[in-house]
Amino acid sequence: MEIRQLRYFISVAEHLNFTQAAKRLFVAQPAVSQQIASLEKELGLKLFVRDKHSVQLTPAGKVFLHDAIEMLNRSEEAINKAKKAAIGEVGQLNIGFLYATVKNFLPALVRDFKEKYPHVQFSFNHYQTAQIIEKLRKDEVDIAFTLSFRPEDMAEWEYKTLVSQPYGVFMNKSHRLASRNCIPIIELAHEPLVMLDRKEAHHGYDHLITLFSNHGLIPNITTQTQRIETVLMLVEAGLGVAVLPKHLGVYANPSLRFIEIEEWQHTVEIVVAWKKTNSNPSIPLFLTELDSLNFKEVQNNIGLV
């Protein structure tokens, strides 16, 4: 049974006239008669009673009409859905993120996107930096919001810088240096540093070691832990200070301060990344929506402490 046959049958049933149905369909009348005859043969029953003066639906034709309309509607819906899926308006997007990088803009971004494309479904997963890289590589994540600590990996995917965040030092407000507006790097050389465990974020860890060594210093790392929330909790407890990008202040309690490091113009870029070989057509739509955001405002509101 073909969709064309259903359309021809429904048109004849609505007009009860083959000639008028043919005109409505913009085809010749014999073509309509041929398709109806073929449909009746395929079904093994008569759909119309015809004579020289009238055309009427048979009892079977009346029953079939209801189902034919439903089948045609479903087929058209399926075709439209497939067309939308081909251009990304129907589908699935898997988003991976570092919480601190997206807290100030992702909720509004997703809300606006869903208003435009309600048939795109999302899954969201919070990862560590190294995890996101692997998820991208394995096609388990379509779009990742992460940090640009690994430029050697960028050959595998496209990326776009959203904002740049300065490094500084987080410390308890009761710390002897907490009243400063900025601190020379030399004064941090002997301060106990709390850091993420190298196994959790080895590129970030190595990056910080390099930043210190560029100034002829070796950081005094006294504590390592597995989560950034724990790093800042230990800083709050007075067990040391933490040299981190400013946006991580979203995890900080009011008892902590973020202080800039004097003559230390190092930044980290917050990026959106996607694998070059990922053919998910919803990705360009999401990136277009992302482009509409005002990241100057995001920059001003990220990680204030």
Side-chain angles (χ1 to χ4, degrees):
M1 186 184 306
E2 300 178 5
I3 293 175
R4 178 177 57 176
Q5 291 175 323
L6 294 178
R7 288 199 180 100
Y8 286 14
F9 166 70
I10 292 168
S11 185
V12 174
E14 289 175 344
H15 293 90
L16 294 177
N17 186 291
F18 278 73
T19 301
Q20 291 181 16
K23 289 181 179 179
R24 182 68 178 271
L25 295 165
F26 300 101
V27 297
Q29 188 271 331
V32 176
S33 298
Q34 183 180 3
Q35 289 299 321
I36 296 299
S38 177
L39 179 60
E40 289 178 326
K41 182 178 180 181
E42 183 177 343
L43 296 175
L45 51 84
K46 287 291 184 181
L47 299 173
F48 296 101
V49 176
R50 288 160 275 190
D51 59 33
K52 293 182 179 180
H53 304 291
S54 67
V55 175
Q56 297 295 329
L57 282 164
T58 64
K62 291 178 182 179
V63 172
F64 185 68
L65 177 61
H66 177 271
D67 291 334
I69 292 172
E70 186 174 346
M71 284 188 287
L72 184 61
N73 288 339
R74 285 183 178 179
S75 67
E76 290 177 347
E77 287 174 6
I79 292 169
N80 288 335
K81 190 173 183 179
K83 288 180 178 178
K84 288 184 177 181
I87 59 174
E89 293 183 6
V90 173
Q92 172 81 27
L93 275 175
N94 300 313
I95 308 293
F97 60 89
L98 305 178
Y99 174 75
T101 64
V102 301
K103 178 180 181 292
N104 288 290
F105 68 86
L106 187 60
L109 172 63
V110 172
R111 184 180 62 247
D112 292 344
F113 184 87
K114 287 291 287 184
E115 287 181 1
K116 292 183 180 178
Y117 309 108
H119 300 297
V120 176
Q121 303 304 313
F122 283 92
S123 70
F124 299 93
N125 287 287
H126 176 196
Y127 298 111
Q128 299 287 5
T129 305
Q131 288 178 306
I132 287 185
I133 291 167
E134 290 307 310
K135 296 296 181 180
L136 275 172
R137 184 170 286 123
K138 294 177 180 178
D139 293 320
E140 295 176 23
V141 164
D142 295 309
I143 292 175
F145 292 95
T146 185
L147 303 178
S148 58
F149 279 136
R150 298 185 65 172
E152 70 272 20
D153 285 322
M154 291 307 180
E156 295 187 40
W157 52 73
E158 301 286 352
Y159 75 102
K160 184 180 299 184
T161 298
L162 303 179
V163 294
S164 294
Q165 287 291 290
Y167 274 90
V169 56
F170 286 88
M171 61 179 58
N172 193 294
K173 287 183 177 179
S174 63
H175 193 282
R176 62 183 178 83
L177 300 175
S179 61
R180 305 275 193 89
N181 291 324
C182 63
I183 298 173
I185 182 86
I186 190 67
E187 292 196 42
L188 297 177
H190 301 292
E191 286 291 326
L193 288 185
V194 184
M195 291 187 64
L196 278 175
D197 193 310
R198 190 176 184 277
K199 292 183 293 185
E200 298 298 321
H202 65 278
H203 283 270
Y205 186 102
D206 294 346
H207 184 65
L208 184 61
I209 299 297
T210 300
L211 294 180
F212 269 82
S213 66
N214 287 343
H215 291 80
L217 302 172
I218 299 175
N220 178 28
I221 301 170
T222 58
T223 307
Q224 297 182 52
T225 186
Q226 294 182 349
R227 296 191 64 85
I228 192 64
E229 299 98 317
T230 308
V231 169
L232 293 174
M233 182 184 72
L234 296 178
V235 172
E236 185 179 2
L239 298 184
V241 301
V243 177
L244 296 167
K246 184 179 181 182
H247 71 275
L248 293 175
V250 298
Y251 293 110
N253 288 329
S255 60
L256 296 183
R257 279 204 69 201
F258 175 85
I259 303 174
E260 293 183 4
I261 300 174
E262 187 176 303
E263 297 181 354
W264 212 49
Q265 302 301 317
H266 298 292
T267 61
V268 61
E269 293 180 336
I270 296 172
V271 304
V272 58
W274 62 100
K275 197 171 181 181
K276 290 180 178 179
T277 56
N278 191 328
S279 60
N280 187 334
S282 297
I283 292 175
L285 298 182
F286 189 82
L287 295 175
T288 297
E289 191 67 28
L290 180 66
D291 285 341
S292 68
L293 291 183
N294 181 355
F295 274 98
K296 287 186 178 180
E297 183 176 343
V298 173
Q299 174 87 17
N300 292 334
N301 289 299
I302 267 183
L304 296 178
V305 178

